[in-house]
Amino acid sequence: MSIWDELNAEKEAEIAAFRAAEAAKTPEQKEAERLAAEARAEASHQEGARLGWWDAEGNSLAVETDEEGDEEEDEE
């Protein structure tokens, strides 16, 4: 068995274990995970707004730069 075969078998075992764990979750566990993910996303969004990454509507405030780091101008 080659190293690649071994790695593929290991990954397939990990995927099977993950799928089995997901299938064993109760609806309540799934809902709790979904709510936790939503809370993390909201906290991340608020932190990004606090740091000035985007405005209140969620629009990015990042300045796009070219390869040299100079601000790009719109060509219209």
Side-chain angles (χ1 to χ4, degrees):
M1 182 181 258
S2 76
I3 185 72
W4 297 113
D5 292 335
E6 289 178 29
L7 289 171
N8 284 334
E10 184 179 309
K11 283 296 172 194
E12 287 176 11
E14 289 175 7
I15 291 168
F18 174 80
R19 288 183 176 155
E22 286 295 306
K25 289 181 182 175
T26 66
E28 292 81 13
Q29 288 172 313
K30 291 177 182 179
E31 179 66 7
E33 288 181 358
R34 185 188 68 75
L35 292 172
E38 283 182 8
R40 285 191 304 273
E42 179 61 27
S44 175
H45 180 77
Q46 289 177 2
E47 180 68 3
R50 185 187 70 77
L51 295 171
W53 294 345
W54 45 74
D55 62 17
E57 288 80 37
N59 300 310
S60 175
L61 297 175
V63 176
E64 294 195 22
T65 59
D66 61 17
E67 293 166 0
E68 289 82 37
D70 299 324
E71 289 186 20
E72 290 182 346
E73 295 181 17
D74 289 337
E75 295 178 22
E76 291 184 28

